[in-house]
Amino acid sequence: MKIQAINGFKDILPDSVGRWQHIEQRARDIFERFGLQEIRMPILEKTELFVRSIGEATDVVEKEMYTFADKGITMRPEATASIMRAFIEHGLHVQQPVQRLYTIGPMFRHERPQKGRLRQFHQLDAEIIGAVEPRIDAELIAMGQMLLDELGLRVNLELNSLGCPVCRPPFKNRLITFLAQKSDGFCEDCKRRTHTNPLRVLDCKKPACRALVQEAPSLLDALCPECDRHFREVREALETLGIPFHLNRFMVRGLDYYTRTTFEFLTTDLGAQAAVGAGGRYDGLIEQLGGPPLSGIGFAMGLERIALLMEQQDAGKCSQNAMDVCLAALGTNTLAPCSLLAHTLRKQGVKVALDYSGRSLKAQLKQAGRVNARYTLIIGEDEWARGEGILRNMATQEQQPFALTGSPEEQGRRLMDTLLPATP
Ligand code: HAM
């Protein structure tokens, strides 16, 4: 019996890796333009970290975590909680009051797998910790938008405010009263959520529930003066930066730590899975985890979803890893000098393909085409004896002699001189 990968866990094959690397490089480049530094955390954390930050009554904590119950540890379902744990544990704010951090890596959630939804998925996660100004919210959102723009993607930015511990609890009570009056019309999940996590009812995707909540009170009308001012200034700052957005008063994030600004980058091109990235402010989280009273804001984007969307929207073609030169060694006596030349060239930074099978020239040229080699250096027994190989330009099929004299280093340098000016 063949052993296959676990459902919801996917290999990223060499064909797609070029695109993944392209996305990651763009992300690193843009994050660093905004002064973010990379941080890497372990995949396993104490379960309590996620329960306390993401919240007990969330889908992630209730149903989706990969937990080793006997050991009290969990495979991280997201990165924000781990970054905050590391931030507090190492007192990062002492060195620098405002920390700008990013991480890239796998996350684990036991969700029902479908297109763009996996059990092991990868996030690009960015956080700015220790700054409360609304312009920071706008700057971070603009950074996310810049990344998606530079990747050539078209998405819609939706924005909401979830208020704070002053204005949200009274709003929740009003919402529960409203939901209880209409209870009969809601789905079973929403009936249950009315008491466990009433805000989640607002973003239920079922048409009947959606229709009912249109009449629900809006948190945007119930914000306290500070939250109201903050949200107004975020919108103004986004306008200053020329970032278009839509207000969505029904947007409720699936994680409990959010306060004030929340946002999602949405697309209709991925079917039901509309969020390419999402985030928001979490002003009480660090203190709640035992750290100093610092605020924070961040977002995460799903790498799988970005890659899928790039395919779907035909954005940014990513060329495959092309080889600079293929050495076609013909005859057993040429194998040793060709292997030394290949090794020397690789030390000099050249991408070299070489096979030791002694196959025919035709087969080796075919293979050179498959690995996208720009040149093939043909070295048969005769060429070796004469001290002169044949260098073939694979695009134009032009051939020129190449002297196999001098040390391998000298040959390598001469070959590089020939290859480099031709680099596209
Ligand atoms: P999230 O909305 O749970 O937020 O996830 C962020 C993004 O991760 C989603 O928009 C989606 O692109 C991707 N994603 C989530 N679950 C899956 C899945 N099962 N399969 C594929 N992609 C997925 C967070 O994780 C927050 N930590 C974001 C944040 C950072 N907020 C503040 N800082």
Side-chain angles (χ1 to χ4, degrees), residues 78 80 109 111 116 118 121 123 127 253 257-258 275-276 298 302:
E78 57 112 51
T80 312
R109 294 185 196 174
E111 292 189 82
L118 289 131
F121 59 98
Q123 283 186 343
E127 313 285 348
R253 307 277 302 119
Y257 48 62
Y258 290 112
V276 179

Side-chain angles (χ1 to χ4, degrees), residues 100-172:
R100 294 170 168 245
L101 302 169
Y102 77 89
T103 200
I104 302 178
M107 310 293 153
F108 303 84
R109 294 185 196 174
H110 191 268
E111 292 189 82
R112 199 158 45 79
Q114 60 186 61
K115 187 174 174 192
R117 192 203 278 163
L118 289 131
R119 290 179 172 172
Q120 174 175 337
F121 59 98
H122 298 75
Q123 283 186 343
L124 306 164
D125 184 287
E127 313 285 348
I128 302 182
I129 308 167
V132 284
E133 300 86 352
R135 279 193 199 286
I136 288 286
D137 304 33
E139 187 181 315
L140 179 99
I141 294 171
M143 179 174 76
Q145 183 70 60
M146 189 181 289
L147 174 57
L148 296 168
D149 287 346
E150 287 201 15
L151 291 171
L153 297 175
R154 297 178 303 278
V155 294
N156 295 317
L157 170 61
E158 295 204 340
L159 195 66
N160 194 17
S161 173
L162 291 181
C164 70
V166 173
C167 49
R168 195 156 51 192
F171 171 76
K172 259 191 190 170

